[in-house]
Amino acid sequence: MTSRLPHPLRNTLQRRLCLDGGLSTTLENLGADLSHGSLWSARLLRDNPDLIVRVHQSFLEAGADVIGSATYQCSLEKMMEEFGVEKPQAEQYIRLGVRLAKQAVSEYRRKSGRDAFVAAALGSYGAVLADGSEYRGNYGVSCAQIERIHTERVRCVLLESPDLVAFETIPDSDEVRTILRLMEANFSDTPFWVSLQCQSESKLADGSNLDTISAYIKELAPTSMVALGVNCVHPELVRPVIERIRSGLGSNTQILTMCYPNSGEVWEEVDAPNLHSVFTLFSRAPTTHTHLVFGAAEQGWKHVEGKTPSPEEWSNIVVRSGADIVGGCCRTTTSHIRLLRELLY
């Protein structure tokens, strides 16, 4: 397995990497109320930054090699609107998300002697909208608008020198292409990955063909692209998606594969408008589909016998995906990551 990442990540990626798990889930489990407004866990960048550091450290202690910053739903416009601040202060809040992750890694390294890395987490354009469209794509806006939002965010997080930029839950093929062109043209020396949102093993959430994305990446050969993968899907979907991505990229690629699925729980709809969007995947792969509803994430998630794996089963499923980089997304906890780490090493 070869990587074009600069030292010291190059040596680290000679083995499988373990990501963290559900940041918002863990924050909520510790008492944080994320239901107000549309910033989700990023609200705590203002309201309780110490709790963010605490959660980052808990995932490091569970064995994570990479920590994602609390910036998934951030944009300058959204921060200005939600916090009532001007652009310079909005930029500082986004930069703070990366600094908090780096602080957690630094403190953990000092105590344990084990290093870890910070990924500046940037959700899709749909995540910024906070209307659930990161699970369906087809935004109805120009690629220029999508590029503008992503450019502002990338420039902002890079001021804090994260180890890489993580584009997450990308449901739309036009958005994928926009991100790839943007990074190649303006940030070609910045390591990054793209993690997709898929409705099946062969289709993105917007209905476009996954193979066309792999073919586009193979042809473009982005200079600093670390990995291509999938997140926020049922764990049973990750293996067929990873196999298809690996086949599409070809055996000579230097781009790694990655996955970080949700816990496999299902969502029961409740009448709670104006709260952040959540989703679940009901069917088994490869015919898994996305069911989008709205509500408070802690009020309607249900363990369903035969559909929801235990943390032990979940970690085995994720490891069997064969992805080079693995971790967890919605509703996964430090228990999931600890079990995953034990299986990896």
Side-chain angles (χ1 to χ4, degrees), residues 13-279:
L13 285 174
Q14 302 309 307
R15 59 177 174 81
R16 299 174 80 179
L17 277 185
C18 184
L19 306 178
D20 57 5
L23 174 62
S24 64
T25 296
T26 310
L27 289 167
E28 288 174 319
N29 287 344
L30 292 173
D33 182 0
L34 307 182
S35 63
H36 300 291
S38 60
L39 287 175
W40 206 9
S41 52
R43 176 163 297 280
L44 299 191
L45 293 172
R46 181 192 67 183
D47 296 348
N48 197 344
D50 289 344
L51 189 60
I52 294 175
V53 174
R54 179 180 169 187
V55 170
H56 286 330
Q57 290 176 334
S58 71
F59 279 116
L60 290 165
E61 290 164 1
D65 296 303
V66 183
I67 293 296
S69 62
T71 50
Y72 173 83
Q73 266 178 303
C74 290
S75 73
L76 293 178
E77 292 173 2
K78 187 67 67 175
M79 304 298 277
M80 292 165 66
E81 174 188 341
E82 291 278 333
F83 289 167
V85 298
E86 298 300 319
K87 184 177 179 180
Q89 187 60 47
E91 291 175 342
Q92 287 301 316
Y93 278 123
I94 295 175
R95 293 176 63 176
L96 176 61
V98 179
R99 288 203 303 274
L100 293 177
K102 293 180 72 172
Q103 175 187 333
V105 167
S106 177
E107 292 175 358
Y108 176 74
R109 184 191 304 118
R110 186 168 58 252
K111 291 187 297 184
S112 70
R114 186 174 74 86
D115 207 353
F117 306 101
V118 171
L122 299 178
S124 64
Y125 180 81
V128 172
L129 297 178
D131 63 356
S133 56
E134 69 261 49
Y135 304 113
R136 60 177 182 265
N138 296 310
Y139 305 127
V141 300
S142 68
C143 289
Q145 169 68 0
I146 295 172
E147 180 177 349
R148 181 183 68 81
I149 293 295
H150 281 306
T151 299
E152 290 178 348
R153 301 160 82 208
V154 172
R155 284 177 175 161
C156 197
V157 297
L158 289 185
L159 291 173
E160 297 298 334
S161 302
D163 295 300
L164 68 155
V165 175
F167 295 98
E168 303 182 308
T169 329
I170 310 297
D172 189 284
S173 59
D174 286 340
E175 183 172 22
V176 176
R177 292 184 179 91
T178 298
I179 289 169
L180 293 170
R181 290 193 297 265
L182 163 68
M183 296 303 291
E184 187 67 9
N186 300 324
F187 306 102
S188 60
D189 59 345
T190 299
F192 72 98
W193 75 54
V194 175
S195 186
L196 307 170
Q197 169 57 209
C198 294
Q199 61 173 258
S200 73
E201 67 175 273
S202 61
K203 293 185 182 299
L204 274 66
D206 70 345
S208 58
N209 194 301
L210 177 58
D211 292 342
T212 63
I213 293 298
S214 298
Y216 181 80
I217 292 172
K218 185 177 181 179
E219 179 180 358
L220 184 65
T223 306
S224 297
M225 187 173 188
V226 178
L228 176 66
V230 62
N231 72 291
C232 283
V233 299
H234 191 281
E236 291 289 358
L237 184 57
V238 295
R239 183 171 181 172
V241 169
I242 292 303
E243 290 175 350
R244 196 165 191 115
I245 287 175
R246 186 166 280 144
S247 174
L249 292 177
S251 58
N252 293 326
T253 185
Q254 295 185 12
I255 297 172
L256 307 176
T257 56
M258 65 179 307
C259 70
Y260 41 121
N262 63 30
S263 69
E265 290 172 88
V266 299
W267 173 260
E268 281 192 4
E269 188 170 357
V270 293
D271 185 17
N274 301 319
L275 302 180
H276 67 269
S277 62
V278 296
F279 78 104

